[in-house]
Amino acid sequence: MKKRYILKLCILISFFQINAQSDFRNGYILKNTKDTIYGLIAYQSDMLSAKKCVFKNEINSEEQVFKPSMIKGYRFIESKYFISKEIKTENTSKLIFLEYLVNGVIDMYYYRDTRGDHYYVDNGNGELYELKNEEKTVIKNNTTYSKKSKEYIGALKYVFKESPSTVKNVDNLKLNHQSLINITLDYHKEVCPDQMCLVYEKKSPKIKNTFGFIFGLNLSSISEHDVVDKYYYLKDSDFDYYLSPSIGMYYKVHLPRFNEKLFFQYEGTFSYFKQTTSNLYTQEIFYTNYYNDIDYEQYTFSNEFLFKYETSQKRKFCPTFSIGAFFNYAINPEYHRSLEVKLFSGYTRYTNEFTENPFSELDYGISFGVGLKRVMLKKKELFFDLKYRRGFVLLDGLSTNTFLLNTGIQIGK
């Protein structure tokens, strides 16, 4: 059972990756022979952009993959520019596509890998110097502290040494795209005002952090698989699906550094959950049947954390895909089990009632779904999501299954 859902999850992740690479935009590649070839280039994440360029001559043409050793660079029209450069690592060197941020008296470059963001500067001598801000461990009074090295401050002061006013501004400089671009432009205007300085970095899209209300319907049930003997009265149970409304809030954060179409979304919702089932357990050696009727209900507060991929930021109607995890907390759970023990002859030996709740008050698992986003007047968003949640910890041998149909209405930026 679990393998089946893991397979579905892998398929969905693969679908995300395929869609993330299908965003082709106008651009050109620069061949090592100095020829320029125009076409369409896949707009990828920062990490993938440093490793390869996926190029097509036309929208229906076959894809061509170029590594840094195969071309001089590539660029999107009036946007990002990547150039093949060799950089030094701890033990060796490697050839990658660096993103060309500024082309002036001082050149600035950037790339991202699994360790994070990396910035490089060329002060005109053709050599690349990494601007570092590594985590350092400091021991003081037998106490260990962690602090940033801020090595880039000293490096930039040396690079901008011909402009005392620029050097003064370095002390408060943050190591990010916009700060480096701005200070490099200021330096260029001061020391070389008669020459053009080019900025290739695409203007960062406005961060689209939004929040709003969520209204929905939840169709929930419990599935049984390999329940331990302790909970014999739940074996072979047939739980019905229960339909209930839900209400809550969401907060969505744009992640353009990873992908312009990628968002992180938190959803906090409140709903009601109810389940009933009956169970017959037989002990043939004693000619006895155990009849169990179970009623369980609770209010649920759900925390869901999603990565949401929106296929277009320009269309009024936009298909979306999501994947994530959820944590459900039970509020005021009420459990009741009625037991009747009868002999095969029909004689009732005894009855009993139980109210001790065997279910966990915390349930968590995976979530994935599809949806549709609609941009309304004043650029407010309305979205519809159809999702499936699979919970794993309600009880050993039991899993929760929930189908959700949600509507989200933006109320703020």
Side-chain angles (χ1 to χ4, degrees), residues 237-254:
S237 294
D238 185 16
F239 292 94
D240 293 328
Y241 273 95
Y242 182 79
L243 184 66
S244 65
S246 63
I247 186 171
M249 300 282 292
Y250 77 90
Y251 183 74
K252 186 170 74 169
V253 180
H254 197 192

Side-chain angles (χ1 to χ4, degrees), residues 209-214 247-255 263-270 301-308 322-329 383 385 387 389 406 408:
N209 297 349
T210 58
F211 65 91
F213 290 114
I214 288 182
I247 186 171
M249 300 282 292
Y250 77 90
Y251 183 74
K252 186 170 74 169
V253 180
H254 197 192
L255 303 174
F263 296 80
F264 175 80
Q265 184 163 308
Y266 165 77
E267 297 179 3
T269 54
F270 186 76
F301 183 75
S302 176
N303 297 277
E304 189 168 12
F305 305 89
L306 299 166
F307 286 102
K308 202 166 189 179
S322 64
I323 184 170
F326 71 90
F327 300 84
N328 285 351
Y329 295 93
F383 66 80
D385 285 339
K387 293 185 292 187
R389 289 180 185 167
N406 287 342

Side-chain angles (χ1 to χ4, degrees), residues 306-350:
L306 299 166
F307 286 102
K308 202 166 189 179
Y309 185 82
E310 300 183 354
T311 57
S312 174
Q313 300 302 314
K314 298 179 180 179
R315 299 176 184 173
K316 287 188 176 182
F317 290 95
C318 166
T320 65
F321 306 91
S322 64
I323 184 170
F326 71 90
F327 300 84
N328 285 351
Y329 295 93
I331 302 172
N332 296 328
E334 294 186 7
Y335 172 85
H336 182 264
R337 175 165 68 97
S338 298
L339 171 64
E340 185 179 14
V341 181
K342 288 185 174 184
L343 298 178
F344 285 0
S345 63
Y347 173 73
T348 300
R349 292 186 58 187
Y350 67 88

Side-chain angles (χ1 to χ4, degrees), residues 363-389:
D363 186 29
Y364 59 81
I366 60 172
S367 169
F368 48 87
V370 296
L372 189 66
K373 186 186 78 171
R374 169 76 161 92
V375 178
M376 303 183 296
L377 294 176
K378 297 182 180 180
K379 297 185 178 179
K380 299 293 185 182
E381 295 179 358
L382 173 70
F383 66 80
F384 302 91
D385 285 339
L386 177 61
K387 293 185 292 187
Y388 170 73
R389 289 180 185 167

